[in-house]
Amino acid sequence: MSYAPRTFGGFEVTPLRDAVGPMGPSIRRPLPELFTGASPDDWAGTPAEWVLHFRCYLLRDAFGRVVLVDVGIGGTDSPASSWAPVPGGLVGELAAVGVAPGDVGTVVLTHLHSDHASGAVTDGVPTFPNARHVIQRAEVDWIEGAGPNPILERVLRPLTGLVDAVDGAAEIVPGVRVAHTPGHTPGHQVVEVGSLTLTGDVVLHPVQLANPAVRYAYDEDAERAATTREALLREVRARHGLLGTGHFPEPFTDPGI
Ligand SMILES: [Zn+2]
């Protein structure tokens, strides 16, 4: 089920629900172990169990440009299948709003963790064959340098020829920009369109809005992630922008002041 679209910077932005559920038992831990450094006040009003939403965002403009930000969990054989709650439903979500995989001209991967990138490949071939796939160079280098791993072999390799590796900030289509936001992964990036910032995993849980210094156990570099999160939230709050998150219960979040 998709959510109601909203318009930012000339793009209709439609959040798409790839999946919903708790982390699988292989990596599930109590919330205070996953998110460290939070006070009882920081946790106030949040549920005791973390039920993740796995969300992608579709951006469409009046000129027919179709941009997809993150591609979710993928199918039953995806690298995410060892821990994700269910297979991803992205392609069906796209169909429900009138978009076929071949219509997508640009895919942006905020990072190459399995729940954000695996849907780029289906049965060994690119799911979105006409799309260039925008990834930070630092992210590609990290995965390629990590030795044999499922993301390299089952996502990046099949995308050969479709990857557009960018270095730092870039305007990827007119009105849509990416910015390098390292920490969760070395080449993590966010996407900015109008007043909306699609955060990927710079923030994972609302406790990190209450206290941006809260660390996440599965950050590659939690110190750097915290510095990045603090800077991004300060900047978005200063201009009264909105966040579009990957895992919060609701797609659009006002980070407050
Ligand atoms: Zn994630």
Side-chain angles (χ1 to χ4, degrees):
M1 187 189 90
S2 63
Y3 307 81
R6 295 179 62 166
T7 300
F8 299 91
F11 280 81
E12 184 183 73
V13 178
T14 306
L16 302 169
R17 185 179 297 166
D18 186 50
V20 182
M23 283 180 173
S26 63
I27 62 167
R28 190 184 307 166
R29 291 157 64 176
L31 272 174
E33 291 181 21
L34 284 175
F35 293 97
T36 54
S39 72
D41 277 356
D42 296 334
W43 287 113
T46 63
E49 186 190 14
W50 192 20
V51 178
L52 290 87
H53 288 235
F54 297 82
R55 196 176 301 114
C56 312
Y57 289 84
L58 174 69
L59 283 54
R60 291 181 283 189
D61 74 359
F63 305 102
R65 297 185 183 101
V66 180
V67 179
L68 186 58
V69 178
D70 281 340
V71 294
I73 291 167
T76 52
D77 61 345
S78 123
S81 58
S82 63
W83 71 273
V86 289
L90 174 62
V91 170
E93 292 285 290
L94 285 168
V97 295
V99 175
D103 299 337
V104 178
T106 305
V107 166
V108 183
L109 299 178
T110 60
H111 62 298
L112 291 176
H113 275 165
S114 58
D115 56 321
H116 294 255
S118 299
V121 174
T122 304
D123 297 330
V125 298
T127 310
F128 306 100
N130 300 321
R132 66 189 176 112
H133 292 60
V134 177
I135 312 171
Q136 286 286 317
R137 169 79 58 194
E139 193 77 351
V140 174
D141 289 349
W142 169 56
I143 291 295
E144 288 186 342
N149 66 82
I151 295 293
L152 177 63
E153 288 153 20
R154 289 153 61 186
V155 178
L156 266 189
R157 291 276 183 258
L159 291 178
T160 298
L162 295 179
V163 172
D164 180 4
V166 298
D167 289 304
E171 186 169 44
I172 53 158
V173 300
V176 180
R177 300 182 56 81
V178 297
H180 184 202
T181 49
H184 182 65
T185 61
H188 190 286
Q189 60 185 350
V190 297
V191 180
E192 296 164 349
V193 53
S195 62
L196 180 68
T197 300
L198 301 173
T199 63
D201 282 355
V202 170
V203 290
L204 288 113
H205 186 283
V207 74
Q208 293 178 307
L209 292 186
N211 181 357
V214 168
R215 269 53 167 175
Y216 178 56
Y218 298 123
D219 286 331
E220 297 295 329
D221 180 342
E223 293 295 313
R224 196 168 190 201
T227 303
T228 290
R229 183 165 46 254
E230 288 162 1
L232 182 74
L233 289 175
R234 192 179 314 118
E235 185 267 320
V236 171
R237 284 167 166 158
R239 59 178 167 79
H240 303 289
L242 275 188
L243 307 177
T245 62
H247 298 303
F248 284 23
E250 295 297 326
F252 298 116
T253 302
D254 182 345
I257 54 173

